[in-house]
């Protein structure tokens, strides 16, 4: 509050890479302000804190303690949804080792290369600052990585929604050597990713698209999914595609020479070393899953790939929208021609492959089901209802759990709004909200 008082009337846009100052403002000449602060301190001192009561039965508490202390099992959340996956630790390690033994994607290391990468990152930051491509505050923010840096850690999240459960490889790079520059690159790439013609921000953005789109009655809906997108983007090709998009996005004077983002991308992608079970590895193919810039990087790359595919195809979609690796498209042609398009699509790139669902009636996309219902036949606008994956367990926090009342109420309101947005008719919404209540 003292800071608000001191800088009142001097508000300006916050710096995107602001580093919080440890400076604490002294007492101010405002008697009202200082009296108020003293009153708050007094009231806080008088608050009596009591230990919250457990809202779980004794047997459930005991079971949770036993699971936490059991060294023979691995407990992790599922890749999607609110499900918890419990696996035999030995089986989990073997599953990870199968992925890491793929010499086309990972290379074993005899010694850690984190220190070497850290030094290269620091040299690059100093070079950018020396040439005035980043200001003092940005340099200070970029240099917040601890020394020595933490070695990133590999772990998988089980895809229980797949017919055969497999692990999605994640690399936790918190306090790692490239974490900060990855966030910086993400800041540069986000405007480019959002400018792509097929870009979808989220479910709400997709619903807005559906609401505005008139669809012919013979339209066929096709939803496509890119198979393991992140780990299948070739690093060199990905970097060149993104750097080209960067130069195209800034036709005049670019804010930072292209060589700088290219160097950062090279460090993030080609020096992505990590450890698993005490052994070191280097990822040699694909994008790092877990790094900040991965989504924007993949979005820009996929935009280039899909543009090439559509441009060279004789049969073109009426509409084509994409959320990272999930694609929704509309066609006014025959199913045979769509099958041929998908066949040619899977021949276009050596590592980027697609699976597809073709339907004249409905298709699932994100957390919605898009279908031809009453509104479609009356207004030529597709209908929408909420979609839940088969693995959804509807596990919600107890209302009596130790959370602030606003958190519990906020969750209920948020879920109700989601159901309202993802159902295009009153009847569908009432059905969904009644299911939620029960």
């Amino acid at each position: 509050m003292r800071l608000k008082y001191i800088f009142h009337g001097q508000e300006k846009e916050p710096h995107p890479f602001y580093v919080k100052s440890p400076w604490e403002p002294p007492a101010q000449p405002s008697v009202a302000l200082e009296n108020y602060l003293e009153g708050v301190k007094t009231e806080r001192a008088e608050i009596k804190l009591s230990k919250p009561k457990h809202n779980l039965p004794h047997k459930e508490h005991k079971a949770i303690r036993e699971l936490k202390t059991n060294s023979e099992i691995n407990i992790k959340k599922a890749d999607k949804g609110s499900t918890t996956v419990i696996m035999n630790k030995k089986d989990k390690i073997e599953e990870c080792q199968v992925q890491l033994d793929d010499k086309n994607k990972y290379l074993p290391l005899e010694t850690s290369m984190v220190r070497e990468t850290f030094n290269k990152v620091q040299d690059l930051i100093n070079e950018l600052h020396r040439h005035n491509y980043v200001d003092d505050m940005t340099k200070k923010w970029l240099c917040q990585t601890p020394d020595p840096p933490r070695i990133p850690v590999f772990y998988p999240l089980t895809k229980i929604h797949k017919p055969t459960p497999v692990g999605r490889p994640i690399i936790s790079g918190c306090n790692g050597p490239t974490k900060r520059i990855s966030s910086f690159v993400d800041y540069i790439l986000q405007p480019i990713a959002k400018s792509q013609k097929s870009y979808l921000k989220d479910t709400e953005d997709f619903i807005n698209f559906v609401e505005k789109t008139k669809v012919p009655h013979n339209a066929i809906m096709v939803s496509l999914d890119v198979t393991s997108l992140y780990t299948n983007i070739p690093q060199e090709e990905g970097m060149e595609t993104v750097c080209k998009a960067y130069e195209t996005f800034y036709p005049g004077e670019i804010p930072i020479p292209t060589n700088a983002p290219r160097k950062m991308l090279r460090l993030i992608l080609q020096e992505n070393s990590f450890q698993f079970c005490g052994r070191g590895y280097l990822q040699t193919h694909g994008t790092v899953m877990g790094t900040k810039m991965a989504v924007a990087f993949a979005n820009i790359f996929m935009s280039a790939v899909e543009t090439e595919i559509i441009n060279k195809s004789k049969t073109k979609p009426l509409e084509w929208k994409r959320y990272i690796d999930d694609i929704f498209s509309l066609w006014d042609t025959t199913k045979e021609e769509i099958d041929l398009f998908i066949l040619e699509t899977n021949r276009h790139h050596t590592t980027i492959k697609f699976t597809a669902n073709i339907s004249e009636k409905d298709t699932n996309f994100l957390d919605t089901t898009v279908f031809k219902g009453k509104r479609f036949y009356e207004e030529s606008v597709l209908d929408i209802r909420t979609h839940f994956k088969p693995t959804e367990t509807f596990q919600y926090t107890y209302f009596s759990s130790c959370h602030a009342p606003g958190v519990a109420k906020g969750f209920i309101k948020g879920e109700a709004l989601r159901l309202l947005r993802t159902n295009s008719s009153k009847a569908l919404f009432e059905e969904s909200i009644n299911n939620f209540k029960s």
Side-chain angles (χ1 to χ4, degrees):
M1 291 188 73
R2 285 172 177 162
L3 286 172
K4 287 282 187 182
Y5 176 81
I6 294 170
F7 296 104
H8 178 68
Q10 303 179 39
E11 289 82 2
K12 57 182 180 179
E13 281 293 317
H15 195 286
F17 302 103
Y18 173 72
V19 179
K20 188 176 180 180
S21 170
W23 178 73
E24 292 202 9
Q28 297 302 303
S30 171
V31 176
L33 172 63
E34 294 304 321
N35 284 343
Y36 176 77
L37 293 176
E38 283 300 318
V40 171
K41 289 179 183 177
T42 302
E43 288 181 13
R44 286 184 61 190
E46 293 173 351
I47 296 174
K48 293 182 180 180
L49 300 176
S50 59
K51 189 176 180 181
K53 294 180 180 180
H54 293 301
N55 61 355
L56 291 178
H58 174 71
K59 289 184 178 179
E60 289 187 18
H61 242 308
K62 182 181 178 183
I64 290 174
R65 283 198 303 269
E66 289 175 356
L67 287 171
K68 287 174 68 175
T69 56
N70 189 338
S71 60
E72 295 183 359
I73 61 173
N74 177 276
I75 305 174
K76 277 278 191 291
K77 70 171 187 175
D79 178 53
K80 292 180 180 177
S82 56
T83 307
T84 301
V85 178
I86 301 176
M87 283 183 67
N88 182 296
K89 195 170 185 178
K90 183 181 177 182
D91 294 339
K92 192 75 171 179
I93 292 173
E94 287 179 359
E95 177 196 320
C96 295
Q97 204 60 56
V98 167
Q99 294 191 40
L100 295 174
D101 286 342
D102 184 351
K103 297 297 189 293
N104 294 319
K105 294 182 178 179
Y106 302 100
L107 179 70
L109 296 175
E110 292 185 4
T111 57
S112 172
M113 57 185 290
V114 167
R115 166 54 62 181
E116 182 183 345
T117 304
F118 175 79
N119 291 339
K120 290 180 181 178
V121 169
Q122 297 306 306
D123 290 343
L124 179 56
I125 293 169
N126 290 329
E127 180 185 341
L128 290 171
H129 184 254
R130 190 165 56 251
H131 290 92
N132 295 319
Y133 296 134
V134 298
D135 58 20
D136 293 343
M137 181 65 76
T138 304
K139 181 191 176 183
K140 185 177 180 181
W141 185 89
L142 288 169
C143 291
Q144 293 293 301
T145 303
D147 187 8
R150 171 180 172 269
I151 301 175
V153 176
F154 176 95
Y155 68 93
L157 294 179
T158 306
K159 301 179 184 180
I160 61 172
H161 58 284
K162 299 292 183 182
T164 303
V166 293
R168 183 190 296 277
I170 306 292
I171 296 173
S172 171
C174 297
N175 288 328
T178 62
K179 180 182 183 296
R180 294 274 168 171
I181 61 168
S182 181
S183 296
F184 182 77
V185 170
D186 180 69
Y187 176 77
I188 294 173
L189 297 185
Q190 278 296 339
I192 306 171
K194 292 175 181 178
S195 70
Q196 308 305 313
K197 185 179 179 181
S198 64
Y199 174 81
L200 286 174
K201 180 182 178 182
D202 50 24
T203 299
E204 187 175 351
D205 195 17
F206 173 66
I207 292 171
N208 290 336
F209 157 74
V210 172
E211 299 283 347
K212 296 174 184 175
T213 305
K214 295 288 185 178
V215 180
H217 280 227
N218 66 333
I220 297 176
M221 291 173 276
V222 181
S223 58
L224 299 98
D225 179 66
V226 185
T227 305
S228 302
L229 171 60
Y230 292 98
T231 53
N232 280 318
I233 299 176
Q235 293 177 350
E236 285 293 342
E237 183 184 351
M239 285 188 288
E240 288 307 312
T241 300
V242 168
C243 288
K244 183 179 178 181
Y246 175 73
E247 291 175 339
T248 304
F249 186 76
Y250 296 102
E253 185 177 347
I254 54 179
I256 298 175
T258 311
N259 197 39
R262 182 181 281 111
K263 285 182 179 179
M264 290 185 182
L265 287 170
R266 199 172 295 282
L267 286 169
I268 296 164
L269 296 171
Q270 298 188 343
E271 299 209 12
N272 176 37
S273 61
F274 57 90
Q275 64 179 359
F276 176 73
C277 289
R279 292 189 291 270
Y281 295 88
L282 175 69
Q283 184 173 351
T284 57
H285 183 85
T287 308
V288 188
M289 287 202 67
T291 192
K292 181 76 171 176
M293 66 93 203
V295 174
F297 181 86
N299 262 323
I300 296 169
F301 176 78
M302 272 307 303
S303 178
V305 171
E306 67 193 8
T307 300
E308 290 175 1
I309 291 171
I310 294 171
N311 285 345
K312 79 172 188 178
S313 174
K314 293 180 180 178
T315 307
K316 302 185 188 298
L318 292 172
E319 298 288 348
W320 181 282
K321 287 292 180 180
R322 178 176 49 79
Y323 178 77
I324 309 175
D325 58 352
D326 292 319
I327 300 165
F328 174 83
S329 59
L330 293 170
W331 303 74
D332 64 347
T333 185
T334 63
K335 187 176 182 298
E336 289 72 26
E337 288 188 338
I338 296 172
D339 286 332
L340 181 62
F341 173 86
I342 294 168
L343 182 65
E344 293 300 320
T345 294
N346 280 320
R347 290 174 178 169
H348 177 77
H349 198 278
T350 54
T351 59
I352 303 299
K353 305 299 177 184
F354 301 79
T355 58
N357 177 63
I358 305 171
S359 175
E360 295 181 9
K361 296 180 180 179
D362 58 32
T363 191
N364 298 325
F365 187 75
L366 303 181
D367 59 344
T368 69
T369 297
V370 186
F371 65 102
K372 294 180 179 179
K374 183 179 179 181
R375 183 174 70 173
F376 173 76
Y377 292 107
E378 292 178 353
E379 305 174 29
S380 297
V381 177
L382 291 168
D383 293 83
I384 300 170
R385 63 173 175 263
T386 311
H387 169 66
F388 297 102
K389 292 184 182 295
T391 54
E392 177 59 61
T393 56
F394 302 99
Q395 294 180 11
Y396 301 128
T397 302
Y398 281 110
F399 194 83
S400 59
S401 66
C402 189
H403 287 80
V407 173
K409 293 176 182 177
F411 162 72
I412 295 170
K413 181 181 178 181
E415 184 66 7
L417 285 173
R418 183 175 84 93
L419 296 175
L420 181 62
R421 291 191 189 104
T422 54
N423 288 282
S424 57
S425 72
K426 182 180 179 182
L428 288 171
F429 168 68
E430 289 177 346
E431 180 186 347
S432 296
I433 203 72
N434 287 332
N435 290 337
F436 176 56
K437 288 178 181 177
S438 60

